[in-house]
Amino acid sequence: MGGWNRSNIPDQTGRTVIVTGATSGLGEATARALAAAGAQVIMACRNEIKAQAVARTMTGNVQIRQLDLADLASVRAFATGVERADVLINNAGVMAVPKQRTADGFELQIGTNYLGHFALTGLLMDRISERVVNTSSLTHFIGRIDLDDLNWERRAYSRFGAYAQSKLALLLFTYELQRRLTLTGSPKLAVAAHPGYAATEISSETENLLEQIVGLGNRLVAQSAEMGALPTLYAATAEVEPGGYYGPDRFNWRGHPTRVNSSAASHDEKTARQLWELSERLTGVEFDI
């Protein structure tokens, strides 16, 4: 698989792909590549004006629809307007921001990165014909799921702890979703990807000295958003293993997509089931699988 790049993307003509957070960084690079390969791409974005400006620079069939993952009413409204899609790419996210709440009272990072995507996937599951791709992160290795305080109501808040928890939650969700699909005999796939260390705008939202440190790392070490998007593009278009996890082939940091390992915590089936049940209660969304 080494060396897989955009030129290896199969012809996407006739396929419809939803990409959340497609106005910048990994999401933009993903949407741009898929549209150029012939897919009808639905850019699911919070900022429609910014999305329109980005879409004008793309080649291919691109549609823009408003979606705020930090507001379940917006998630439901978006899902209502989707007739069908072959692939859902859950890419949008916020990283290491100060403690904030979503419209529904969730901690912003778990609410946006995970619970919003959990709800979106559940609402669209009957109209997704092929696969769901969740974007995780290397930080999931330091993540810890606190089922008793998922939304940081009692714990001392940690920006990176909250981010890592949300990315671990996405992997637990991916693997549990695949187990349930397999159990019912569904041909649909749940897979995950991570970009390694890629320079994107998400790292500019930390609002403190860390932003300057990350910015320096972006200039000296990080690969481009285009390279960081390759594992997601692979997960979305290539022949993949059910429940597979894909990332860069050079020490998980840089390079071309390959199958990678995730933490032991991400494979904890009991925690995955409990997180799923909690997520259904918090979002009010139950999966029809």
Side-chain angles (χ1 to χ4, degrees):
M1 191 192 308
W4 192 95
N5 56 50
R6 280 184 53 172
S7 67
N8 299 118
I9 297 174
D11 183 10
Q12 298 296 294
T13 302
R15 300 178 88 218
T16 298
V17 183
I18 300 170
V19 184
T20 68
T23 56
S24 65
L26 300 174
E28 178 186 345
T30 299
R32 186 181 301 279
L34 291 170
Q40 174 180 284
V41 175
I42 298 175
M43 297 174 62
C45 306
R46 184 176 56 183
N47 187 330
E48 292 182 90
I49 295 176
K50 184 177 181 180
Q52 289 168 1
V54 172
R56 285 194 291 270
T57 70
M58 294 183 180
T59 300
N61 186 350
V62 180
Q63 298 180 15
I64 299 166
R65 299 189 190 174
Q66 204 278 333
L67 171 66
D68 184 354
L69 288 159
D71 185 344
L72 290 179
S74 176
V75 174
R76 290 182 180 278
F78 175 87
T80 300
V82 175
E83 294 183 2
R84 62 166 297 277
D86 296 280
V87 181
L88 168 63
I89 299 178
N90 290 322
N91 162 83
V94 292
M95 175 181 174
V97 293
K99 188 176 183 180
Q100 301 172 59
R101 297 284 167 188
T102 69
D104 304 281
F106 307 139
E107 185 275 318
L108 184 62
Q109 296 188 80
I110 196 73
T112 302
N113 301 354
Y114 169 64
L115 288 170
H117 282 131
F118 177 92
L120 178 65
T121 305
L123 291 167
L124 290 178
M125 204 66 215
D126 62 337
R127 282 159 282 165
I128 299 169
S129 66
E130 188 180 311
R131 67 185 78 179
V132 175
V133 179
N134 292 321
T135 303
S136 187
S137 163
L138 282 172
T139 59
H140 88 270
F141 279 101
I142 62 170
R144 185 176 71 88
I145 302 294
D146 189 332
L147 293 167
D148 294 322
D149 192 19
L150 193 70
N151 284 295
W152 299 83
E153 294 169 325
R154 294 179 295 279
R155 293 182 278 172
Y157 184 67
S158 163
R159 297 183 184 193
F160 265 101
Y163 180 70
Q165 177 185 241
S166 73
K167 292 302 182 176
L168 174 57
L170 281 165
L171 277 179
L172 286 161
F173 170 43
T174 301
Y175 299 153
E176 179 66 14
L177 176 56
Q178 184 60 64
R179 282 190 289 270
R180 293 180 183 226
L181 290 169
T182 300
L183 186 63
T184 60
S186 172
K188 299 178 186 180
L189 299 175
V191 293
H194 81 84
Y197 188 2
T200 68
E201 289 186 14
I202 191 172
S203 60
S204 70
E205 298 177 3
T206 54
E207 299 182 16
N208 63 4
L209 179 61
L210 180 60
E211 179 179 331
Q212 300 175 34
I213 298 172
V214 172
L216 178 61
N218 283 348
R219 290 191 295 273
L220 298 178
V221 180
Q223 61 182 354
S224 67
E226 287 71 25
M227 284 296 296
L230 287 181
T232 297
L233 289 166
Y234 186 92
T237 67
E239 293 291 332
V240 295
E241 297 181 35
Y245 183 39
Y246 299 89
D249 60 2
R250 294 172 57 187
F251 307 104
N252 254 334
W253 276 58
R254 301 169 60 88
H256 299 273
T258 189
R259 180 76 185 267
V260 295
N261 296 319
S262 61
S263 68
S266 71
H267 293 286
D268 185 329
E269 295 188 20
K270 179 179 179 181
T271 297
R273 289 193 300 271
Q274 292 175 329
L275 177 63
W276 183 291
E277 293 165 0
L278 175 60
S279 302
E280 286 188 331
R281 292 198 300 272
L282 290 173
T283 63
V285 174
E286 295 185 0
F287 280 61
D288 182 17
I289 300 177

